Amino acid sequence: PRLRKAKAAWWRSLLLLGSVGAASGAGRLWEALAPLPAGNAGCACGVLHDRLVVAGGTEVTGGVRRPLDAVVVYSSAQDRWRQIGRLPRRFYYGAFAAHDGTLFIVGGDDGILTRSDIWAVDLSGAGKKFAELRRPVGYTSSVRMGGDCYILGGTRDVRDLSRLTAEFLRLNLTNGAIETLPDFPGGPVIQSSL
């Protein structure tokens, strides 16, 4: 029970790297912030106009996974989270990227289906359809470089890991164009670091 409580507290806390003693040059350390409103894994997150935004994710209670659709923003001045909206659908374990004041969520799962849609969310908390992948993808990896989001691997269905892929895509975050790049040469991957 103590370990379960500790794990729950860990998942509900978001830790950020902060600077301590900048004038003295004293190095960096981890600083605990206010806990997220709900335990969360597999969310999309990014910094939009100097504000930390977390969208979607999944909360696990009693062994049951509950997909989330909340969009929350962290206020460092008040050390608290505030909900600013809801995603157009639930989202967890998809690709994501923050760019030019917008958080893009790509594919992922909604608790029923692994999805192929791409949504753009801003600080108003509103989401609008941005683009569409040719096929659904979840448990994928992503990284933003310049104005593009690179998406690697994952699975076509998060409930069927026999459908893993080595697909490599580039999503233009300005116009929504999607380019298929050569597959990852190491074969199918899931939630790798990019």
Side-chain angles (χ1 to χ4, degrees):
R2 283 177 59 178
L3 180 58
R4 185 175 298 151
K5 285 182 181 179
K7 284 174 99 176
W10 182 83
W11 279 108
R12 289 180 56 91
S13 295
L14 184 66
L15 300 176
L16 290 180
L17 188 60
S19 177
V20 174
S24 66
R28 300 170 89 61
L29 61 101
W30 291 95
E31 177 185 341
L33 303 179
L36 284 161
N40 201 323
C43 60
C45 59
V47 176
L48 307 182
H49 302 295
D50 296 327
R51 293 190 180 103
L52 180 61
V53 176
V54 174
T58 182
E59 179 178 35
V60 180
T61 306
V64 177
R65 180 182 297 166
R66 184 174 66 92
L68 305 172
D69 62 1
V71 179
V72 295
V73 64
Y74 177 74
S75 165
S76 59
Q78 299 171 335
D79 188 31
R80 72 178 183 94
W81 293 91
R82 176 176 58 90
Q83 184 170 330
I84 58 171
R86 295 200 171 280
L87 295 172
R89 65 168 174 88
R90 296 177 192 150
F91 168 87
Y92 66 97
Y93 292 120
F96 60 90
H99 177 66
D100 200 24
T102 303
L103 180 63
F104 296 88
I105 65 167
V106 181
D109 200 84
D110 63 11
I112 299 170
L113 294 171
T114 302
R115 306 288 295 255
S116 59
D117 47 353
I118 303 171
W119 293 86
V121 180
D122 61 22
L123 279 175
S124 73
K128 65 179 182 178
K129 183 82 177 271
F130 182 69
E132 186 87 24
L133 298 171
R134 289 182 301 153
R135 292 180 291 275
V137 68
Y139 292 148
T140 188
S141 305
S142 59
V143 65
R144 181 186 67 84
M145 289 177 51
D148 296 314
C149 176
Y150 292 85
I151 303 160
L152 175 63
T155 180
R156 300 292 174 220
D157 183 348
V158 301
R159 285 159 283 290
D160 182 1
L161 297 183
S162 71
R163 298 185 63 197
L164 294 177
T165 177
E167 186 174 63
F168 194 36
L169 305 171
R170 177 173 37 218
L171 167 64
N172 182 300
L173 298 174
T174 302
N175 63 23
I178 300 166
E179 178 184 359
T180 301
L181 303 171
D183 280 0
F184 178 64
V189 293
I190 186 169
Q191 292 183 316
S192 60
S193 296
L194 291 179

